[in-house]
Amino acid sequence: MITIGLLGAGRIGALHGRNIAISPKAKLVAIADAVAAPAEALGTELGVPVRGVEDILADTSIQAIVICSSTDTHADLIEAAAKAGKAIFCEKPVDLSSDRIKACLKVVETAGVPLMIGFNRRFDPHFAALQARLAEGEIGDVELVTILSRDPAPPPIAYIQRSGGLFRDMMIHDFDMARFLLGDEPVEVHAVGSSLVDPAIGQAGDVDTAAVLLKTASGKICQISNSRRATYGYDQRIEVHGAKGMLRAHNLHESAVEVADASGFRGAPVMNFFLERYTPAYRRELDQFLDCVTSGKAPTPTGHDGLRAQVLADAATLSAQTGMPQKV
C-alpha cells in the first residue's frame, strides 16, 4: 500500500482524502491544511492525524503527496515534495503563470520523481471510451471536436477575483480535453467572452460566457462553449466528427427512469455539479496514480500536459481581451 500525505482538506481535498481512505492500494497517513477546521474535521472522519506540511514532507515513510491546496501554493508544494523525493499528484493548475510552471517542472525533472496533474475528465468512463474508439480509428481522422461545458451557477465573486479568469480556471479542463481528443497540438486560439450571467463578474474583470476556436497545424478544429449558468444542471457534452462518422458523449442524468403521459416523455434532471458527475473519474484517476507509483510507469496527465493547457488558457485570455487570434 502506498502511504500518502494529503495537503489541502477543502472540498476537493476531502473528496480525494475519502477516495484514498477506501482504496485497497493506498493508506492516508497525514492531512495538512492552512485552515485548521477542515483538516481536523476530515482527520476525525477518516481517523487520520493532522500534521504540518513541513513535517509531512520530512517524513521518509510517506511515499506520495496529494496536493489539493489553493492554486497559489501548488508550484511551491510540488517543488518541496519533489526535493523530498515524493511521488506527486497535484490538482490543476500547477500555477496561473506559464513561466512559473516551466520553472517548477525543471525542479521535478531534476528530482526524478513522478508528477501527475489532476485533469480528471480524461478518466470519466464515457469520455475515456470515446477517446479509445477514436484511437482505434472507428470514425477515421478527426476533423471537428465540439466541447460543451456549463456550470449550474457561478461561484462567489471572491473566488472569481482570485481564479485567474474563466479561461484559466474553468475552461482549462476543456483545453486539456481538446488536446486529449484532437491527438494534435493546437497552434492557433481565437476566443470571445462576455459577462451575461452576473454583472459583478464583469466588474471583477472576468467573463462568464465564452467560446473558443482551436486550430491545429494539420487543420483540425475544436470549438469550446463555456457558461457559468445552466438552469438545467451541469452540462458536459462532447462530440467528435471524423472522416467516417461521429462519436458523441451525452450528459449523465440522476437516473435513467423516464415517465410518459399526455404531456410527453420526461426524464430525470442531469447531475447537478462536478462532484456528482465525475465521482467515477476521480476514483479512476487515483487508481492510475497509485498504479504508476507502484509500477514506476510515468503517470499521465503529465506536468507538460498541465503546461500546455495553461499556455492555451493564456492565449485565450489574450485573444478575448484583444479580439485577435493568438498563435501558440
Side-chain angles (χ1 to χ4, degrees):
M1 295 177 70
I2 304 297
T3 51
I4 296 179
L6 176 67
L7 309 184
R11 179 171 60 176
I12 195 67
L15 180 147
H16 283 301
R18 294 181 184 115
N19 284 342
I20 296 166
I22 63 174
S23 172
K25 303 175 183 179
K27 182 178 182 181
L28 184 61
V29 297
I31 298 171
D33 196 286
V35 181
E40 291 169 356
L42 186 62
T44 299
E45 175 189 340
L46 301 179
V48 176
V50 176
R51 298 164 62 181
V53 172
E54 295 79 6
D55 185 37
I56 292 173
L57 294 177
D59 189 338
T60 56
S61 70
I62 296 177
Q63 299 165 278
I65 297 295
V66 172
I67 300 172
C68 305
S69 51
S70 59
T71 295
D72 58 349
T73 67
H74 287 183
D76 289 344
L77 290 174
I78 288 172
E79 290 180 351
K83 291 174 182 177
K86 313 295 188 188
I88 306 160
F89 174 92
C90 183
E91 269 298 327
K92 67 83 190 170
V94 175
D95 195 83
L96 295 177
S97 162
S98 295
D99 288 340
R100 180 70 183 94
I101 296 174
K102 292 175 185 177
C104 178
L105 296 184
K106 287 182 180 178
V107 173
V108 174
E109 182 180 1
T110 299
V113 298
L115 169 64
M116 180 173 171
I117 304 303
F119 286 120
N120 63 290
R121 295 181 191 179
R122 291 192 184 204
F123 300 92
D124 173 75
H126 310 280
F127 295 168
L130 187 152
Q131 193 274 339
R133 292 169 71 171
L134 277 182
E136 291 167 359
E138 183 170 350
I139 62 168
D141 291 337
V142 173
E143 296 174 351
L144 182 64
V145 175
T146 301
I147 301 173
L148 300 107
S149 181
R150 298 163 187 160
D151 288 354
I157 295 301
Y159 176 88
I160 294 286
Q161 291 170 335
R162 66 177 190 274
S163 69
L166 180 146
F167 298 106
R168 295 186 180 100
D169 171 60
M170 179 180 175
M171 197 180 287
I172 195 165
H173 278 291
D174 303 310
F175 290 132
D176 181 69
M177 184 56 60
R179 294 181 63 245
F180 187 54
L181 298 175
L182 286 167
D184 204 357
E185 290 291 350
V187 297
E188 184 177 325
V189 181
H190 188 188
V192 292
S194 297
S195 179
L196 302 176
V197 175
D198 185 349
I201 292 177
Q203 293 164 10
D206 197 10
V207 299
D208 52 40
T209 308
V212 165
L213 284 176
L214 305 175
K215 187 176 180 180
T216 72
S218 64
K220 298 174 185 178
I221 294 171
C222 177
Q223 49 193 4
I224 302 172
S225 168
N226 272 192
S227 175
R228 294 284 194 184
R229 174 174 60 198
T231 58
Y232 46 88
Y234 191 43
D235 193 356
Q236 299 285 287
R237 289 174 284 157
I238 288 175
E239 179 182 292
V240 183
H241 180 262
K244 298 192 294 184
M246 180 186 72
L247 289 167
R248 177 186 293 164
H250 294 281
N251 278 320
L252 297 187
H253 293 252
E254 292 177 356
S255 81
V257 177
E258 280 188 325
V259 61
D261 57 22
S263 63
F265 284 80
R266 298 188 306 280
V270 298
M271 290 185 173
N272 183 59
F273 208 17
F274 72 96
L275 291 177
E276 300 90 348
R277 169 64 179 80
Y278 288 115
T279 295
Y282 283 113
R283 290 175 180 162
R284 287 161 56 103
E285 177 183 62
L286 174 65
D287 280 344
Q288 165 138 325
F289 175 65
L290 296 173
D291 288 344
C292 289
V293 174
T294 300
S295 68
K297 181 182 176 181
T300 57
T302 65
H304 176 74
D305 290 320
L307 174 61
R308 291 305 304 167
Q310 190 66 38
V311 167
L312 293 173
D314 291 344
T317 301
L318 185 58
S319 176
Q321 291 170 346
T322 63
M324 299 293 293
Q326 300 296 314
K327 299 290 186 180
V328 293

